[in-house]
Amino acid sequence: MTKAPVFHVNADDPEAVVRAGRMAFEYRERFGQDVVINLLCYRRRGHNEADDPSMTQPKMYQIINEMPSTRTLYARALVGRGDVTQEEADEALNAYHSKLDAIFAETQTAVPLVHSANVEGIELPSSQQGTEVVHGGVTAISRDTFELIANSFGNVPEGFTVHKKLQKLLQQRVEMGKSGKVNWGMGELLALGSVLLEGTNVRMSGQDVQRGTFVQRHAVLHDHLTDQEWSPLQNLAAEQGTLRIYNSLLSEYGVMGFEYGYSVERPDSLVVWEAQFGDFANGAQTIIDEFVSSSEQKWGQRSSLVLLLPHGYEGQGPDHSSARIERYLQLCAENNMTVAVPSTPASYFHLLRRHSQHRPYKPLVVISPKQLLRLKSATSSIEDFTEGSFQPVIGDRSGVNPAEVERLVLVSGRLYYDLEAERAKRGDTKTAIVTAEQLYPLPEAEIKAQLALYSNAQDVVWAQDEPANQGQWPFMALNLLPVIDRPVRLAARPASASPAAGTGKRHTAEHEVLLQQVFEG
């Protein structure tokens, strides 16, 4: 059925297991095909050290208990062949036990990690100092670097046939290097390209990431006639980092787990896993809970993995609308990771670049958009990339007079643009709209600064697309409300067991009510 060879091997014979493993590896390397090793073995212990499997399988475990262990059988074989003496075998066993005891003793005296919500000044114990230093770095890039990356999309290799639908896309990217109005896809490519130019390797995987789920990335192009691959970002300069971007199999658990491990072993790389839709990460929840969010606190193991989770309420139904922001915020504590919802291409650009430079390493969860990928108002100027840095909170962008503002709306992500359009439609000059680009670590000081700026605004609103029991509100109600000087009311969909409405008509009706809640109370 699988057209793969199967090597059956007795697991009580370690040398036979090694031989089977070598044969399987050589077969795969030579023929590029799958191969299966069928280990014929048994479980000597129960589910854990306290379990006694003889309670449920007495006859089987009576037989197993009378069988010598694999190590005993192999030691007898080595002694019988004259490869080692019995004394040498016993000595090896005792040495191994001593090593385990020493390692266990070390864990009892290990220096605990220091946690801080202040990413600009973490002081570590002397045993962990050295390379473990937090630094912000410079996230803006020069105009020359901006143009170099933009122009790379016009440097089509000789003889390479670009798909006719992508020729216009490449030309638009070149034009963005001159006129600005940089869209989301290009903002990301500018971040990746500039990181590569600084010598950092970039690795990205996920389902259809070369093109992008929403046909926005096209970091790797394919010759329309020969299927040859071309990546503009891989050819920016003679001395640059390496770009590795792979379309993965349909397994979130396996792929995210691999990328987590890769980010641990190669912290010098920017490692990104992208979900096809944000809720696809459900399939890797074990990796998120057991490793991404808690490995530093449990084992002192640090990861720099980036999770890109497309999220947005656009009337497409309960599946693939929500990335379940509330789940990630619930996992946040002790400065264990960053959760961000950038609202502009430039904000996303600075966020990725800041993350690539951040020490000590922390995972980054990006609640990325869908609709904003092509929304004309969701673009950034060239100056937004060549100046400034990532701002955890972005103030009102309309130029309202702070002294006249009576209502302050706090919001994250896509909904900002709907609120901005509704405010303009109403001719409202007494409402300020502020976006929280970073949710955790909570930008408490920046939000307080906005409240101070609009000191006359007694109507403070947290607005979100998600139902009241989901999204950012549960986290904000628990962590933000106790530390600010004014009450905050919620504008959101009613609490719901489902992430979103099942029909576009109902979604639209709910959205109109949401806008009324924000501007009319």
Side-chain angles (χ1 to χ4, degrees):
M1 183 175 66
T2 63
K3 297 184 178 179
V6 180
F7 296 147
H8 305 275
V9 58
N10 178 7
D12 264 344
D13 185 345
E15 292 182 2
V17 172
V18 171
R19 181 178 174 222
R22 288 176 175 167
M23 288 172 59
F25 178 79
E26 291 173 5
Y27 179 90
R28 191 190 67 177
E29 293 301 295
R30 179 178 299 183
F31 300 109
Q33 299 294 325
D34 291 337
V35 57
V36 177
I37 299 176
N38 177 26
L39 282 173
L40 301 174
C41 55
Y42 61 92
R43 193 177 202 173
R44 177 166 288 272
R45 307 298 177 190
H47 181 70
N48 55 51
E49 292 85 346
D51 188 19
D52 183 354
S54 67
M55 291 186 293
T56 53
Q57 295 174 304
K59 290 187 177 181
M60 178 186 295
Y61 275 88
Q62 183 179 357
I63 297 172
I64 290 175
N65 289 336
E66 293 173 356
M67 294 177 62
S69 68
T70 301
R71 185 206 163 275
T72 300
L73 289 172
Y74 189 50
R76 287 178 185 174
L78 292 176
V79 172
R81 293 190 325 222
D83 293 339
V84 299
T85 65
Q86 185 62 51
E87 290 73 18
E88 289 172 330
D90 294 341
E91 183 180 339
L93 178 61
N94 293 333
Y96 183 66
H97 283 164
S98 298
K99 183 177 181 180
L100 293 179
D101 290 339
I103 293 172
F104 179 75
E106 286 180 14
T107 65
Q108 307 306 301
T109 57
V111 179
L113 292 170
V114 173
H115 306 291
S116 170
N118 177 14
V119 297
E120 294 301 327
I122 297 177
E123 293 185 5
L124 295 165
S126 59
S127 62
Q128 298 179 37
Q129 289 180 355
T131 60
E132 304 296 339
V133 178
V134 172
H135 63 89
V138 177
T139 57
I141 58 175
S142 68
R143 182 64 181 260
D144 288 343
T145 298
F146 184 103
E147 293 180 356
L148 171 64
I149 298 170
N151 290 337
S152 70
F153 292 91
N155 300 329
V156 181
E158 184 177 351
F160 189 93
T161 305
V162 178
H163 192 289
K164 62 180 181 181
K165 292 185 178 180
L166 298 180
Q167 293 172 359
K168 183 179 180 181
L169 172 71
L170 296 180
Q171 185 57 41
Q172 287 174 338
R173 289 178 174 175
V174 174
E175 291 298 322
M176 288 178 195
K178 304 172 184 176
S179 61
K181 293 187 176 180
V182 177
N183 62 21
W184 201 277
M186 186 60 180
E188 178 186 75
L189 294 169
L190 286 166
L192 301 183
S194 59
V195 167
L196 288 167
L197 286 170
E198 292 168 352
T200 299
N201 296 329
V202 174
R203 176 184 173 85
M204 178 182 289
S205 73
Q207 297 156 12
D208 211 14
V209 292
Q210 290 185 346
R211 184 195 71 176
T213 298
F214 309 101
V215 201
Q216 85 283 3
R217 182 171 292 123
H218 289 290
V220 178
L221 295 99
H222 298 262
D223 188 296
H224 193 48
L225 300 179
T226 66
D227 203 30
Q228 177 186 354
E229 292 185 356
W230 167 52
S231 176
L233 297 184
Q234 189 57 53
N235 299 279
L236 297 173
E239 299 293 331
Q240 67 166 74
T242 301
L243 173 66
R244 298 180 176 92
I245 178 166
Y246 303 110
N247 295 332
S248 73
L249 73 164
L250 300 179
S251 166
E252 293 80 20
Y253 174 79
V255 180
M256 188 193 293
F258 184 91
E259 301 306 339
Y260 169 84
Y262 194 97
S263 71
V264 171
E265 294 300 320
R266 291 300 304 269
D268 56 334
S269 297
L270 177 60
V271 184
V272 182
W273 178 83
E274 182 177 54
Q276 201 163 58
F277 289 89
D279 53 2
F280 279 39
N282 290 346
Q285 198 66 46
T286 304
I287 301 299
I288 296 166
D289 292 346
E290 293 295 326
F291 297 93
V292 175
S293 66
S294 59
S295 64
E296 181 179 349
Q297 284 68 23
K298 291 193 293 189
W299 314 305
Q301 183 178 79
R302 287 175 172 153
S303 164
S304 58
L305 180 63
V306 179
L307 303 183
L308 299 183
L309 308 177
H311 171 97
Y313 278 60
E314 292 106 6
Q316 294 180 328
D319 293 312
H320 313 336
S321 288
S322 176
R324 297 288 193 174
I325 302 173
E326 64 278 0
R327 291 183 180 173
Y328 298 93
L329 293 175
Q330 186 184 41
L331 294 172
C332 289
E334 300 181 282
N335 194 32
N336 60 332
M337 57 185 179
T338 300
V339 179
V341 192
S343 63
T344 71
S347 181
Y348 178 42
F349 163 88
H350 288 293
L351 174 67
L352 285 180
R353 284 186 48 76
R354 184 187 74 165
H355 178 75
S356 72
Q357 302 166 355
H358 192 278
R359 305 294 184 274
Y361 308 107
K362 302 284 182 181
L364 168 64
V365 178
V366 182
I367 308 301
S368 54
K370 298 180 292 180
Q371 188 184 68
L372 301 190
L373 298 175
R374 290 175 176 79
L375 191 66
K376 291 184 179 179
S377 54
T379 57
S380 300
S381 68
I382 294 176
E383 290 71 27
D384 291 331
F385 298 89
T386 59
E387 300 173 7
S389 60
F390 178 73
Q391 302 299 312
V393 174
I394 297 179
D396 188 275
R397 309 172 203 181
S398 68
V400 294
N401 184 349
E404 297 179 2
V405 169
E406 299 176 356
R407 178 184 299 109
L408 174 60
V409 181
L410 301 172
V411 67
S412 261
R414 188 206 67 82
L415 183 58
Y416 162 77
Y417 293 93
D418 289 349
L419 296 178
E420 182 70 62
E422 182 69 14
R423 179 174 60 176
K425 176 182 174 182
R426 292 169 176 259
D428 186 334
T429 60
K430 298 184 182 299
T431 297
I433 304 174
V434 172
T435 60
E437 305 287 295
Q438 178 175 297
L439 302 178
Y440 187 84
L442 180 66
E444 182 181 320
E446 290 85 348
I447 293 176
K448 285 182 176 179
Q450 291 296 320
L451 287 166
L453 179 62
Y454 302 105
S455 56
N456 295 329
Q458 295 305 306
D459 183 18
V460 181
V461 185
W462 180 271
Q464 64 178 42
D465 265 328
E466 301 79 15
N469 61 318
Q470 301 173 33
Q472 307 97 312
W473 177 246
F475 175 83
M476 291 298 172
L478 181 64
N479 295 278
L480 179 62
L481 269 59
V483 298
I484 59 177
D485 61 356
R486 270 163 273 180
V488 180
R489 66 180 176 89
L490 172 65
R493 287 172 164 79
S496 170
S498 171
T503 69
K505 184 177 180 180
R506 179 171 176 177
H507 165 84
T508 301
E510 291 178 346
H511 190 64
E512 290 301 320
V513 173
L514 173 59
L515 295 178
Q516 290 174 10
Q517 288 180 349
V518 172
F519 290 97
E520 299 173 16

